[in-house]
Amino acid sequence: LTGALGLAACGGRTETATAQPNPPRPLRETARCPIGTCVGTDHIGDPAWVALATRHFSQLTPEFEMKMEYVLQPDGSFRFDGGDRIVAFARANGQRLYGTTLIWYEQDPAAFHPLDGSGKRFADAYRSYILAIAGRYRGQVVGWDTVNEPVAEDGNGLRQCIWSRNLGQEDYIVRAFEHAAEADPNALLFLNEYNLEHLPRKQATFLKLVERLLSRGVPIGGLGTQSHLDISLKSGVLTQTIRRLGEFGLPIHVSELDISLKPHGFNLPVGDPLQRQADLVTELAEAFMALPQRQRFAFTAWGIRDRDSWLLRRPGGTGDRPLLFDEAGEPKAAFHALQRAVSA
Ligand code: G3I
């Protein structure tokens, strides 16, 4: 795999930033933990987004442009232009940068297809990819989602993917962490998962996987719980999830928080959905802040304004309001709930 810079079209919404009367104090100043959000190069061209991002967030996660699907071209070359621009933006604004994701079951890149089943050649290309990207951003990212979403959705074992098929059910995970540690020894290497709250069986399988990997000496530096939630979630589940994850003593990353107002469960909340959303933020943030300081890696929302959310780009997502700021960039009850919980 050789590195080569692709040229990306520079798009971006342009809006004039409007000063908000009596804006809340900067969250990144009042919070007693790093506060993150996701970023794309198109956001960087939007002054209103930049104003909110630089005022309230101390950490950024590239939503797409450090993932294999963006970086690795079909011919095996690499495209780093988006990631490089985001690195420069974070550095210019004194923000930490967190990378996602080195290895993910969802990725099935064309460049690896000719190597599928080739044994050592596949393993060498796997290592080369991780060394290339984690090496390029060595010292520029505070950590990586080294392996994303390893557990089967029903909690019955681990996911099957091109990586597990070629390198072994669990060994692809072990190798990813070893290669990432080789590329960037100072980066915190996370195992990141979602639906740990909604699916107890999946949570249990994830916890057992972490235990096994740690017993094998795998250099796991932290655990990420994505926290893609909805207002049907029962009270208490978030507290239990954070407490269980915290029992390993590792740094915990609430890595991709959004709370959909479109309930997926049958526990339809009564009252104002936005207040229920705020109450869930309070529960999650208070559970996170109850962790020892050394375990509070970061609390990251997966977007700033409701319209920035990936959820609105999904079928049936129109009208959802999953994030901390509304369409106009005004703070919602969820923002104030977060600021109260992390600043106390
Ligand atoms: O930027 C290109 C654009 O140039 C092109 O015209 C367009 C059409 O192909 O694609 C655009 O890229 C899209 C990118 O988001 C930026 O918007 C990709 O197709 C699309 O696949 C990508 O989706 C991202 C998805 O992960 C897959 O990488 C979402 O933004 C992102 O929110 C989502 O985030 C994931 C986490 O990584 C893992 N947890 C779940 C979460 C939600 O799925």
Side-chain angles (χ1 to χ4, degrees), residues 63-64 67 69 100 104 106 148-149 226 228 256 302 310 313:
E63 187 170 13
F64 176 60
K67 290 174 180 172
E69 59 200 281
T100 193
W104 189 13
E106 270 206 7
N148 202 29
E149 305 176 1
Q226 294 180 15
H228 292 294
E256 304 179 15
W302 206 238
W310 69 289
R313 301 194 288 270

Side-chain angles (χ1 to χ4, degrees), residues 6-294:
L7 293 176
C10 301
R13 293 180 287 271
T14 51
E15 276 179 351
T16 51
T18 49
Q20 304 300 332
N22 306 321
R25 286 188 56 205
L27 188 52
R28 70 186 287 186
E29 288 174 12
T30 63
R32 292 184 298 113
C33 66
I35 300 287
T37 191
C38 62
V39 58
T41 51
D42 62 339
H43 295 133
I44 294 173
D46 173 354
W49 183 92
V50 169
L52 288 169
T54 53
R55 180 174 174 82
H56 292 295
F57 298 90
S58 53
Q59 180 171 297
L60 298 176
T61 303
E63 187 170 13
F64 176 60
E65 289 151 302
M66 283 192 180
K67 290 174 180 172
M68 189 184 284
E69 59 200 281
Y70 178 90
V71 171
L72 182 57
Q73 304 309 300
D75 66 0
S77 62
F78 300 144
R79 181 184 181 191
F80 292 124
D81 57 321
D84 291 358
R85 279 187 63 197
I86 290 169
V87 165
F89 177 85
R91 186 183 296 126
N93 292 289
Q95 295 164 309
R96 295 195 327 184
L97 191 66
Y98 181 82
T100 193
T101 179
L102 296 179
I103 297 299
W104 189 13
Y105 83 92
E106 270 206 7
Q107 296 154 340
D108 187 17
F112 272 92
H113 291 172
L115 301 171
D116 202 346
S118 66
K120 186 174 182 311
R121 285 179 62 225
F122 186 97
D124 290 347
Y126 186 77
R127 176 174 176 271
S128 296
Y129 175 76
I130 294 173
L131 292 187
I133 183 162
R136 184 178 186 88
Y137 296 117
R138 176 178 180 147
Q140 303 182 75
V141 297
V142 67
W144 278 100
D145 284 335
T146 304
V147 172
N148 202 29
E149 305 176 1
V151 177
E153 190 58 4
D154 63 5
N156 187 13
L158 304 184
R159 286 186 188 274
Q160 307 301 320
C161 57
I162 187 170
W163 318 119
S164 64
R165 195 168 61 242
N166 280 276
L167 300 171
Q169 183 63 66
E170 209 164 272
D171 282 356
Y172 87 90
I173 301 172
V174 176
R175 286 171 184 254
F177 276 87
E178 289 171 348
H179 300 333
E182 182 186 350
D184 188 350
N186 298 320
L188 280 178
L189 305 178
F190 280 70
L191 194 64
N192 192 45
E193 189 56 90
Y194 74 101
N195 271 355
L196 297 177
E197 314 83 6
H198 292 93
L199 302 174
R201 194 137 174 245
K202 187 172 187 182
Q203 182 190 118
T205 303
F206 181 79
L207 295 172
K208 288 193 195 97
L209 172 64
V210 173
E211 205 162 350
R212 274 201 314 279
L213 294 172
L214 290 173
S215 70
R216 292 180 64 178
V218 174
I220 299 178
L223 302 176
T225 176
Q226 294 180 15
S227 309
H228 292 294
L229 310 174
D230 68 78
I231 54 173
S232 70
L233 189 66
K234 288 196 174 72
S235 297
V237 172
L238 295 172
T239 303
Q240 178 259 14
T241 301
I242 295 295
R243 188 176 300 140
R244 285 270 176 83
L245 289 171
E247 285 170 358
F248 293 100
L250 291 169
I252 301 299
H253 188 193
V254 172
S255 55
E256 304 179 15
L257 175 66
D258 43 41
I259 304 181
S260 171
L261 301 190
K262 297 174 183 276
H264 294 182
F266 300 104
N267 165 45
L268 302 185
V270 293
D272 174 8
L274 288 172
Q275 186 52 54
R276 180 60 189 148
Q277 182 182 67
D279 293 344
L280 286 167
V281 169
T282 296
E283 181 184 343
L284 181 57
E286 287 182 348
F288 182 77
M289 295 306 285
L291 293 168
Q293 171 78 38
R294 72 180 186 289

Side-chain angles (χ1 to χ4, degrees), residues 286-309:
E286 287 182 348
F288 182 77
M289 295 306 285
L291 293 168
Q293 171 78 38
R294 72 180 186 289
Q295 287 188 262
R296 299 180 212 149
F297 175 73
F299 195 101
T300 294
W302 206 238
I304 297 182
R305 302 160 301 190
D306 289 328
R307 65 176 141 104
D308 298 322
S309 173

